[in-house]
Amino acid sequence: GQNIDQPTEMTATEGAIVQINCTYQTSGFNGLFWYQQHAGEAPTFLSYNVLDGLEEKGRFSSFLSRSKGYSYLLLKELQMKDSASYLCAVSGGSGGSYIPTFGRGTSLIVHP
Amino acid sequence: DSGVTQTPKHLITATGQRVTLRCSPRSGDLSVYWYQQSLDQGLQFLIQYYNGEERAKGNILERFSAQQFPDLHSELNLSSLELGDSALYFCASSVTSGIENEQFFGPGTRLTVL
């Protein structure tokens, strides 16, 4: 099976930097996704990491360490609109399955 | 707007009933995915179709079935509904069958079983 852990809730101040961590235990690994989901809306794709290291995309960056089963999403220059749930999902299981398993999500609250 | 459409937006029904949820993928996308999101289970992958064929199966109950039609739209059928089936059902699409491809989610169908 697969197990994905991420904090339930985080708070941060507008303009600051926040790091959302995700740890996983899987029998196989193909890649790791991060999605953003505003309340009552559909998830939107943020990033997909396959190899170790940091990938930067504007204000958002995602890091992966496959040996440690660890990833983080880094959000810089926080804006109020960044208040949302951030979902970590791992693709991969026994037999090289590409079926994604999602964490429960981290609810980020950005204060003025 | 992701370009993925889902109907209906809301659905209220009773236990034991059967419903059909519909999804139209983005123009040009061949792959369709169905997800269920409930408060206690989070977002769960149900099933994937690619160009009319089932490609991957997740935690989909036997009471649930899906298909993708020649025009690439997809339907998710839920039967013998139970209270626990109340959830948001999302459809997503991507260009190819590889799950590593960016998926574009529709607005979802909120199902309430009374």
Side-chain angles (χ1 to χ4, degrees):
Chain A
Q2 303 194 77
N3 188 43
I4 299 172
D5 290 310
Q6 46 181 136
T8 303
E9 186 175 294
M10 298 181 70
T11 59
T13 306
E14 192 176 16
I17 299 173
V18 71
Q19 178 175 311
I20 302 174
N21 296 324
C22 172
T23 58
Y24 62 89
Q25 296 92 40
T26 61
S27 53
F29 180 85
N30 292 308
L32 186 142
F33 300 86
W34 282 98
Y35 282 86
Q36 180 192 59
Q37 185 176 25
H38 285 97
E41 297 183 11
T44 54
F45 173 90
L46 291 177
S47 65
Y48 179 68
N49 293 65
V50 177
L51 302 175
D52 291 350
L54 184 69
E55 291 197 11
E56 299 186 63
K57 195 186 289 187
R59 293 189 300 113
F60 293 6
S61 303
S62 56
F63 172 83
L64 175 66
S65 169
R66 289 172 296 170
S67 61
K68 295 181 180 176
Y70 168 68
S71 172
Y72 67 73
L73 181 70
L74 192 71
L75 292 76
K76 302 176 187 175
E77 301 169 18
L78 280 173
Q79 302 175 9
M80 298 297 289
K81 68 178 182 179
D82 297 329
S83 293
S85 183
Y86 292 85
L87 308 175
C88 171
V90 174
S91 167
S94 57
S97 165
Y98 283 89
I99 293 173
T101 300
F102 286 80
R104 298 302 302 275
T106 298
S107 178
L108 174 66
I109 301 169
V110 179
H111 294 293
Chain B
D1 184 358
S2 67
V4 178
T5 60
Q6 289 187 248
T7 56
K9 194 171 176 63
H10 300 278
L11 196 50
I12 301 174
T13 187
T15 54
Q17 295 299 304
R18 173 189 168 94
V19 297
T20 297
L21 313 183
R22 184 188 167 100
C23 167
S24 292
R26 291 187 323 156
S27 176
D29 284 0
L30 298 179
S31 206
V32 168
Y33 311 78
W34 285 99
Y35 293 88
Q36 179 193 58
Q37 187 172 39
S38 60
L39 284 174
D40 57 340
Q41 294 284 344
L43 190 63
Q44 291 199 84
F45 169 80
L46 296 178
I47 197 164
Q48 177 199 3
Y49 279 82
Y50 175 72
N51 206 19
E53 300 289 327
E54 183 182 304
R55 181 55 64 102
K57 210 167 191 175
N59 298 321
I60 187 166
L61 300 172
E62 286 193 13
R63 300 184 286 109
F64 296 0
S65 65
Q67 54 184 327
Q68 187 179 28
F69 296 86
D71 67 352
L72 301 177
H73 91 270
S74 178
E75 292 181 357
L76 178 67
N77 299 295
L78 314 176
S79 61
S80 302
L81 284 168
E82 302 175 359
L83 295 177
D85 297 328
S86 295
L88 256 176
Y89 290 84
F90 288 108
C91 166
S93 73
S94 65
V95 175
T96 66
S97 62
I99 207 147
E100 71 277 9
N101 293 305
E102 180 174 352
Q103 296 180 29
F104 296 86
F105 281 74
T109 293
R110 183 172 292 280
L111 173 67
T112 302
V113 182
L114 301 175

